[in-house]
Amino acid sequence: MTTEAVTIKRLGAQGDGIAEGPDGPIYAPFTLPGESVALAVNKSHGTLMSVREASPERVEPHCRHFGPDGINGTCGGCTMQHASDTLYHGFKRDLVIAALKSKGLTPEVAPLITAEPGQRRRAVFTARKTEKDLLLGFNQAESHHIVAISECPIASPGIVSKLATIAKVGAAMAVNAEPFRITVLETLSGLDLSVDGIKKLDDRERRRTVEAVLGERGIARVSLNGEIIVEPVKPVIDFGGVSVSPPPGSFTQATAQAEEAMAKLVLDHLGKSKRVADLFAGCGTFALRIARKARVHAVEGEDKALKALDLAARNTQGLKPVTIEKRDLFRRPLMAQELKVFDAVVFDPPRAGADVQCHEIARSGVKKVVAVSCNPVTLARDLSILVAAGYRITSVTPIDQFLWSAHVEAVVTLEK
């Protein structure tokens, strides 16, 4: 390892500053373009030692866990608190532009729909039992070291105010000193805690967990590896006026505000479509909203999520018919012939994207398509399939719901 003085040239896709070293690029977290910095360099990785000449875009971090002066980020939950809003928002939008350009796509990209502090309703904490209590926080970047937190500016006040309660429940469940994860979802009826990384609980540990939950207020449910341990009340989330009780650990959008923005873009593009296919439908984020105006066929590979969607649709008055289908769309996509009966298709796949399904959408000729993605790279690949088949991109909207990170959502609308 050597110490080198370098100038940061640009930001990489993960938000790291990039300098040109004698043996190639050096990636340095917590640096900004134009800065003169001292790095401890190990191969292509640089650890920031000091900022000799700061960028005018460098700002004071919002959270003390991020690190002193934003130089040595300790928490690992955020990577870009040291960047001004102007630089940060441009970085997020540019991630989408660059991914599209790499596939020869140059549509107009709208300004970023921004995120604000205190909006995250879902957070994943790492926990570990110590001799005295429970360590609850986030893993330091590139490390298994857990940084205990007492504040979190990105998380909702409902989560932050219950950190002690979450730790109490975690301590009741901890069976040894091995680290485990607690995924926290703020719902309308209380916090939903989904724990994994603990193999099982014996009867005594289960009783201890139940007592810890019942002795506190604001916890709706606690589950372990998908099994409900205690559920004082059903967790409930709202999808455009439809109440849904998601299964333990089920995927939900990280912020309600971003979800609403995405849903509006989807619904506006669908317009007067009468029959819509919602692929990778989850618990019904889009399907249940679409059902206010159109018949929906919701396709999802996860059985419990699909059942939650179906139950919500059946128990809500005023919706158009909603049909469901359990199907692994990676291995068995909806075929072009099956898609021809629909006026529009919405798809929101995991980070791996939906290339196999997109080939079938392209062959189907369905008039309107909406692509929702959390990965600009696989999104660009999928869009290139549709564009090659004669679809025209009508809008691209980047959306930030993972504040001060290098992750960005996007909603893209297309027409045949």
Side-chain angles (χ1 to χ4, degrees):
M1 184 177 293
T2 61
T3 301
E4 297 182 22
V6 300
T7 298
I8 304 300
K9 300 296 186 183
R10 63 191 185 280
L11 289 178
Q14 300 303 312
D16 296 343
I18 301 177
E20 295 301 330
D23 299 317
I26 300 170
Y27 298 88
F30 315 117
T31 63
L32 299 174
E35 291 190 325
S36 174
V37 299
L39 302 177
V41 178
N42 183 11
K43 297 181 180 178
S44 63
H45 180 77
T47 299
L48 182 61
M49 305 302 290
S50 65
V51 177
R52 297 181 176 182
E53 185 177 340
S55 164
E57 302 297 338
R58 179 173 285 274
V59 298
E60 284 292 314
H62 293 252
C63 175
R64 63 189 178 87
H65 296 302
F66 188 76
D69 302 320
I71 291 177
N72 298 305
T74 57
C75 165
C78 295
T79 56
M80 299 197 70
Q81 282 193 27
H82 60 299
S84 71
D85 285 349
T86 300
L87 188 150
Y88 168 69
H89 294 159
F91 163 76
K92 285 267 172 120
R93 180 171 176 268
D94 286 345
L95 288 175
V96 177
I97 293 172
L100 295 176
K101 189 175 180 180
S102 73
K103 292 297 183 180
L105 305 174
T106 56
E108 180 64 30
V109 176
L112 180 76
I113 294 178
T114 59
E116 299 297 331
Q119 291 184 343
R120 281 285 292 273
R121 67 179 177 187
R122 178 167 56 85
V124 182
F125 297 103
T126 303
R128 182 171 59 81
K129 185 179 181 181
T130 66
E131 290 183 3
K132 295 182 178 180
D133 49 23
L134 186 87
L135 190 60
L136 180 74
F138 297 108
N139 281 83
Q140 189 172 7
E142 302 178 2
S143 167
H144 294 295
H145 174 68
I146 302 171
V147 178
I149 63 165
S150 57
E151 64 180 73
C152 181
I154 66 169
S156 72
I159 293 177
V160 175
S161 66
K162 292 292 182 182
L163 287 174
T165 299
I166 296 166
K168 181 178 178 180
V169 174
M173 299 182 74
V175 297
N176 54 38
E178 291 297 312
F180 58 96
R181 296 193 307 171
I182 305 176
T183 300
V184 182
L185 173 65
E186 183 181 28
T187 78
L188 298 176
S189 52
L191 299 186
D192 183 13
L193 310 187
S194 178
V195 178
D196 62 88
I198 298 174
K199 288 187 177 180
K200 61 180 180 179
L201 302 178
D202 61 25
D203 290 342
R204 180 176 60 86
E205 291 156 352
R206 285 174 177 266
R207 283 196 303 272
R208 191 170 65 199
T209 302
V210 171
E211 289 169 0
V213 171
L214 297 181
E216 298 286 338
R217 304 182 71 176
I219 303 296
R221 176 174 66 191
V222 175
S223 61
L224 175 63
N225 303 322
E227 177 197 354
I228 297 173
I229 303 298
V230 56
E231 187 181 67
V233 293
K234 284 279 185 190
V236 175
I237 51 179
D238 178 90
F239 292 152
V242 181
S243 295
V244 180
S245 181
S250 178
F251 172 81
T252 58
Q253 298 295 342
T255 80
Q257 293 81 0
E259 180 180 283
E260 288 293 337
M262 287 188 277
K264 185 178 188 308
L265 290 164
V266 170
L267 294 171
D268 286 351
H269 185 62
L270 296 181
K272 295 182 180 180
S273 299
K274 289 184 169 27
R275 192 167 185 194
V276 180
D278 182 15
L279 311 182
F280 307 95
C283 296
T285 303
F286 301 121
L288 294 170
R289 288 177 165 96
I290 295 168
R292 293 285 186 191
K293 295 184 177 181
R295 296 170 63 97
V296 183
H297 184 55
V299 186
E300 167 60 42
E302 212 282 307
D303 187 55
K304 291 181 179 179
L306 201 58
K307 287 179 178 177
L309 187 162
D310 186 46
L311 182 62
R314 291 174 183 274
N315 289 336
T316 304
Q317 293 185 335
L319 299 184
K320 303 287 186 182
V322 177
T323 55
I324 61 169
E325 181 180 357
K326 183 179 183 295
R327 188 157 170 170
D328 184 342
L329 292 170
F330 294 107
R331 296 185 177 183
R332 198 164 65 90
L334 252 66
M335 305 303 288
Q337 199 61 36
E338 297 175 275
L339 290 166
K340 286 183 183 295
V341 300
F342 298 103
D343 302 313
V345 171
V346 178
F347 66 96
D348 181 12
R351 291 188 62 80
D355 58 336
V356 177
Q357 182 62 75
C358 280
H359 282 289
E360 296 302 322
I361 296 172
R363 290 176 53 228
S364 75
V366 63
K367 185 176 180 182
K368 291 185 175 183
V369 176
V370 186
V372 183
S373 174
C374 61
N375 185 342
V377 174
T378 54
L379 171 64
R381 179 202 63 200
D382 294 348
L383 292 175
S384 68
I385 295 168
L386 298 173
V387 169
Y391 282 88
R392 178 174 62 91
I393 296 174
T394 56
S395 72
V396 180
T397 308
I399 299 170
D400 189 12
Q401 65 171 329
F402 296 97
L403 185 61
W404 297 316
S405 78
H407 299 292
V408 64
E409 299 274 340
V411 177
V412 181
T413 60
L414 305 97
E415 289 185 355
K416 184 71 173 180

